[in-house]
């Protein structure tokens, strides 16, 4: 076989094996179906509704301190782990034990802690999802998986109508964790079991600006 013939065969193989890349679809719905993307009260109401459907509790508040204290008291928490960067006033109204994750607590210590308090990087109203990226006030993944109660403060402006809006503000290079309700699975005989991969209880403090 001549070199020219071999090159022609290889050219044809390459051309056949690498089809042209399809054009990414750009016409998909960028907000939750049946909603007005400019309706912020409606988007927040949908977010709270979806969370409730998953079994999470939602507290709507304008001041995080009292709301966090209420959530922890009502859930019976006596100890709380907080990640670096968490605003001090978020725990100022609570009288339980606060354990800073610095230096990082061990797995046994985290497992023996009643609750974890974090913020999030973004939230999705359409699916009632929180997204954590390990940034300030969110902590490492183990911190949000081992305590049985997760209290998350979400600022209203962090809530996007649909996933596409949240993805636009997230950094894909960071360790993203998507949380849709308390941890649960129905892998075995379709029997729902809570707390298999993370906290069995989730409380979201939805922080809105004071009116007026």
């Amino acid at each position: 076989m001549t070199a020219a013939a071999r090159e022609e065969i290889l050219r044809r193989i390459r051309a056949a094996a690498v089809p042209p890349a399809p054009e990414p679809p750009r016409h998909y719905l960028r907000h939750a179906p049946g909603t007005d993307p400019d309706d912020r009260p409606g988007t927040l109401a949908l977010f709270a509704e979806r969370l409730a459907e998953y079994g999470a509790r939602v507290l709507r508040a304008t001041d995080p301190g009292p709301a966090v204290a209420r959530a922890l008291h009502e859930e019976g928490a006596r100890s709380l782990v907080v990640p670096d960067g968490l605003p001090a006033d978020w725990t100022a109204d609570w009288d339980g034990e606060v354990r800073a994750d610095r230096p990082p607590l061990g797995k046994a210590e985290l497992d023996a802690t009643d609750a974890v308090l974090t913020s999030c990087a973004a939230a999705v109203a359409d699916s009632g999802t929180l997204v954590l990226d390990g940034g300030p006030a969110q902590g490492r993944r183990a911190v949000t998986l081992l305590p049985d109660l997760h209290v998350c403060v979400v600022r209203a402006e962090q809530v996007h109508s649909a996933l596409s809006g949240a993805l636009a503000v997230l950094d894909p290079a960071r360790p993203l964790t998507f949380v849709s309700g308390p941890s649960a699975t129905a892998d075995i005989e379709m029997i729902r079991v809570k707390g298999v991969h993370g906290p069995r209880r989730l409380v979201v403090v939805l922080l809105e600006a004071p009116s007026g």
Side-chain angles (χ1 to χ4, degrees):
M1 179 184 296
T2 65
R6 183 177 63 186
E7 185 59 33
E8 175 59 19
I9 292 172
L10 291 175
R11 186 192 66 77
R12 292 183 182 183
I13 291 174
R14 293 190 191 102
V18 184
E23 186 68 21
R26 300 297 184 194
H27 55 280
Y28 51 81
L29 194 61
R30 296 176 182 271
H31 56 84
T35 67
D36 179 350
D38 296 324
D39 179 11
R40 289 302 297 165
T43 297
L44 298 180
L46 177 64
F47 179 55
E49 178 184 332
R50 291 287 192 265
L51 284 165
E53 289 174 354
Y54 279 123
R57 291 183 57 209
V58 180
L59 301 178
R60 303 183 73 153
T62 57
D63 187 350
V68 167
R70 175 188 165 190
L72 294 170
H73 279 299
E74 291 180 348
E75 294 293 333
R78 293 171 297 179
S79 57
L80 173 73
V81 59
V82 295
D84 278 350
L86 195 89
D89 63 326
W90 288 12
T91 58
D93 293 285
W94 189 57
D95 57 1
E97 179 188 358
V98 178
R99 302 171 178 171
D101 190 39
R102 181 194 292 181
L105 300 175
K107 293 180 181 177
E109 294 172 289
L110 291 173
D111 189 45
T113 304
D114 293 331
V116 56
L117 173 63
T118 73
S119 67
C120 69
V124 181
D126 189 25
S127 57
T129 300
L130 314 173
V131 187
L132 282 68
D133 68 359
Q138 297 172 61
R140 55 200 173 100
R141 192 164 284 168
V143 169
T144 58
L145 292 179
L146 291 177
D148 197 44
L149 168 64
H150 184 183
V151 178
C152 185
V153 177
V154 180
R155 300 192 310 274
E157 60 269 26
Q158 291 181 299
V159 181
H160 300 267
S161 178
L163 179 61
S164 57
L167 291 178
V169 301
L170 294 171
D171 181 352
R174 298 193 64 85
L176 302 178
T177 301
F178 291 72
V179 179
S180 296
S183 172
T185 182
D187 288 348
I188 301 176
E189 297 183 355
M190 298 302 292
I191 298 174
R192 185 177 174 83
V193 178
K194 290 184 177 180
V196 175
H197 307 297
R200 290 182 299 175
R201 295 171 291 159
L202 173 65
V203 179
V204 173
V205 175
L206 182 54
L207 197 59
E208 301 173 82
S211 59

